[in-house]
Coordinates of all heavy atoms in Angstrom, one line a residue:
F1 N -0.3 -19.0 5.6 CA -1.4 -19.0 4.6 C -1.5 -17.7 3.9 O -2.6 -17.6 3.2 CB -2.6 -19.3 5.4 CG -2.6 -20.6 6.1 CD1 -3.6 -20.8 7.1 CD2 -1.8 -21.7 5.6 CE1 -3.5 -22.2 7.8 CE2 -1.9 -23.0 6.2 CZ -2.8 -23.1 7.3
D2 N -0.5 -16.8 3.8 CA -0.7 -15.5 3.2 C -1.0 -15.6 1.7 O -0.1 -16.3 1.0 CB 0.5 -14.5 3.5 CG 0.4 -14.1 4.9 OD1 -0.6 -14.3 5.7 OD2 1.3 -13.2 5.3
F3 N -1.7 -14.7 1.2 CA -1.7 -14.5 -0.3 C -1.7 -12.9 -0.5 O -1.7 -12.5 -1.7 CB -3.0 -15.1 -0.9 CG -4.3 -14.5 -0.5 CD1 -4.9 -13.5 -1.2 CD2 -5.0 -15.4 0.3 CE1 -6.2 -13.1 -0.7 CE2 -6.3 -15.0 0.8 CZ -6.7 -13.8 0.2
L4 N -1.7 -12.3 0.6 CA -1.5 -10.8 0.5 C -0.3 -10.4 1.6 O -0.2 -11.1 2.6 CB -2.7 -9.9 0.9 CG -4.0 -10.3 0.1 CD1 -5.2 -9.7 0.7 CD2 -3.8 -9.7 -1.3
S5 N 0.3 -9.4 1.3 CA 1.4 -8.9 2.2 C 0.8 -7.8 3.0 O 0.3 -6.7 2.4 CB 2.6 -8.4 1.4 OG 3.4 -7.4 2.2
P6 N 0.5 -7.9 4.3 CA -0.1 -6.7 5.1 C 0.7 -5.4 4.9 O 0.0 -4.4 4.8 CB 0.1 -7.3 6.5 CG -0.1 -8.7 6.4 CD 0.8 -9.1 5.1
C7 N 2.0 -5.5 4.9 CA 2.8 -4.2 4.8 C 2.6 -3.7 3.4 O 2.4 -2.5 3.2 CB 4.3 -4.5 5.0 SG 4.7 -4.8 6.8
L8 N 2.8 -4.5 2.3 CA 2.8 -3.9 0.9 C 1.3 -3.6 0.5 O 1.1 -2.7 -0.3 CB 3.3 -4.9 -0.1 CG 4.9 -5.2 0.0 CD1 5.2 -6.3 -1.1 CD2 5.6 -3.9 -0.1
Q9 N 0.3 -4.3 1.1 CA -1.1 -3.7 0.7 C -1.4 -2.4 1.3 O -2.0 -1.6 0.6 CB -2.2 -4.8 1.2 CG -2.1 -6.0 0.4 CD -2.4 -5.8 -1.1 OE1 -3.3 -5.1 -1.4 NE2 -1.9 -6.6 -1.9
E10 N -0.8 -2.1 2.4 CA -0.9 -0.8 2.9 C -0.2 0.3 2.1 O -0.5 1.4 1.8 CB -0.3 -0.9 4.5 CG -0.7 0.4 5.1 CD -0.3 0.4 6.6 OE1 -0.4 -0.7 7.2 OE2 0.0 1.4 7.3
V11 N 1.0 -0.2 1.5 CA 1.7 0.7 0.7 C 1.0 1.0 -0.6 O 0.8 2.1 -1.0 CB 3.1 0.0 0.2 CG1 3.7 0.8 -0.9 CG2 4.2 0.0 1.4
D12 N 0.2 0.0 -1.1 CA -0.5 0.2 -2.2 C -1.7 1.2 -2.2 O -1.8 2.0 -2.9 CB -1.2 -1.2 -2.7 CG -1.4 -1.3 -4.3 OD1 -0.5 -0.7 -5.0 OD2 -2.3 -1.9 -4.6
I13 N -2.5 1.1 -1.0 CA -3.6 2.0 -0.9 C -3.1 3.5 -0.6 O -3.7 4.4 -1.1 CB -4.6 1.6 0.2 CG1 -5.7 2.6 0.3 CG2 -3.9 1.4 1.6 CD1 -6.6 2.8 -1.0
M14 N -2.1 3.6 0.2 CA -1.5 4.9 0.5 C -0.9 5.6 -0.6 O -0.9 6.8 -0.9 CB -0.5 4.9 1.6 CG -1.2 4.4 3.1 SD -2.6 5.4 3.5 CE -1.7 6.9 4.4
R15 N -0.2 4.8 -1.6 CA 0.2 5.3 -2.9 C -0.9 6.0 -3.6 O -0.7 7.0 -4.3 CB 0.9 4.2 -3.7 CG 1.3 4.6 -5.1 CD 2.1 3.6 -5.7 NE 1.1 2.4 -6.1 CZ 0.3 2.5 -7.1 NH1 0.2 3.5 -7.9 NH2 -0.5 1.3 -7.2
K16 N -2.0 5.4 -3.6 CA -3.1 5.9 -4.3 C -3.9 7.2 -3.7 O -4.3 8.1 -4.3 CB -4.1 4.8 -4.5 CG -3.6 3.6 -5.3 CD -4.7 2.5 -5.4 CE -4.0 1.3 -6.2 NZ -5.0 0.1 -6.3
V17 N -3.9 7.2 -2.3 CA -4.6 8.2 -1.6 C -3.9 9.5 -1.2 O -4.5 10.5 -1.0 CB -5.5 7.7 -0.5 CG1 -6.4 6.5 -0.8 CG2 -4.6 7.3 0.7
L18 N -2.5 9.3 -1.1 CA -1.8 10.5 -0.7 C -1.3 11.3 -1.9 O -1.0 10.7 -3.0 CB -0.5 9.9 0.1 CG -0.8 9.4 1.5 CD1 0.4 8.9 2.2 CD2 -1.4 10.4 2.3
P19 N -1.2 12.6 -1.8 CA -0.6 13.4 -2.8 C 0.8 12.9 -3.2 O 1.5 12.3 -2.3 CB -0.4 14.8 -2.1 CG -1.6 14.9 -1.0 CD -1.5 13.3 -0.6
K20 N 1.2 13.0 -4.4 CA 2.3 12.5 -4.9 C 3.6 13.0 -4.2 O 4.7 12.3 -4.1 CB 2.6 12.6 -6.5 CG 3.5 11.9 -7.0 CD 3.4 11.9 -8.6 CE 4.3 10.7 -9.3 NZ 4.1 10.7 -10.7
A21 N 3.6 14.2 -3.7 CA 4.7 14.8 -3.0 C 4.7 14.3 -1.5 O 5.8 14.3 -0.8 CB 4.7 16.3 -2.9
A22 N 3.6 13.8 -1.0 CA 3.4 13.4 0.5 C 3.8 12.0 0.6 O 4.4 11.6 1.7 CB 2.2 13.7 1.0
F23 N 3.6 11.1 -0.3 CA 3.7 9.8 -0.2 C 5.2 9.3 0.1 O 5.4 8.5 0.9 CB 3.2 8.9 -1.4 CG 3.6 7.5 -1.4 CD1 2.7 6.6 -0.7 CD2 4.6 7.0 -2.0 CE1 2.9 5.2 -0.5 CE2 4.8 5.5 -2.1 CZ 4.0 4.7 -1.3
P24 N 6.1 9.9 -0.5 CA 7.5 9.6 -0.3 C 8.0 9.8 1.2 O 8.8 9.0 1.8 CB 8.4 10.4 -1.2 CG 7.5 10.7 -2.4 CD 6.1 10.7 -1.8

């Protein structure tokens, strides 16, 4: 019944909150 990916949604928020050098 998924309409969200648990893994990818986590990627999305961490891409936004982590410094650009730290996210990779």
Side-chain angles (χ1 to χ4, degrees):
F1 298 157
D2 281 359
F3 62 87
L4 300 169
S5 161
C7 288
L8 289 182
Q9 286 301 315
E10 191 169 329
V11 167
D12 209 37
I13 182 58
M14 294 304 276
R15 175 180 62 83
K16 295 174 182 180
V17 303
L18 288 178
K20 201 163 184 180
F23 176 78

